[in-house]
Amino acid sequence: MKKVTSILAVAVMTLGLVSTAIQNTNNEFDFLNDISKALTCNDCDAPLGDRIPPKKIA
């Protein structure tokens, strides 16, 4: 019975670690998508006078 319990415990722990790794990977891809959206020009089609000036680098 101890072997079955320990095998079950290891299986549950492995499942938890795998699900955590999958969630972290998804969060990294979301972060990369947020960065690429932030770097794209939202109003590049606007005439030059109507464009928002770029932010100053500190």
Side-chain angles (χ1 to χ4, degrees):
M1 189 66 180
K2 285 184 178 182
K3 283 186 177 183
V4 173
T5 306
S6 65
I7 290 172
L8 183 62
V10 170
V12 170
M13 184 180 68
T14 304
L15 181 65
L17 289 173
V18 168
S19 65
T20 303
I22 290 171
Q23 287 176 351
N24 287 342
T25 303
N26 286 338
N27 289 340
E28 288 179 17
F29 285 125
D30 290 340
F31 180 70
L32 291 175
N33 287 337
D34 291 342
I35 289 176
S36 65
K37 286 179 185 176
L39 294 177
T40 58
C41 182
N42 292 334
D43 56 354
C44 290
D45 295 335
L48 289 176
D50 294 340
R51 289 188 184 175
I52 300 170
K55 295 179 182 178
K56 302 222 180 214
I57 298 175

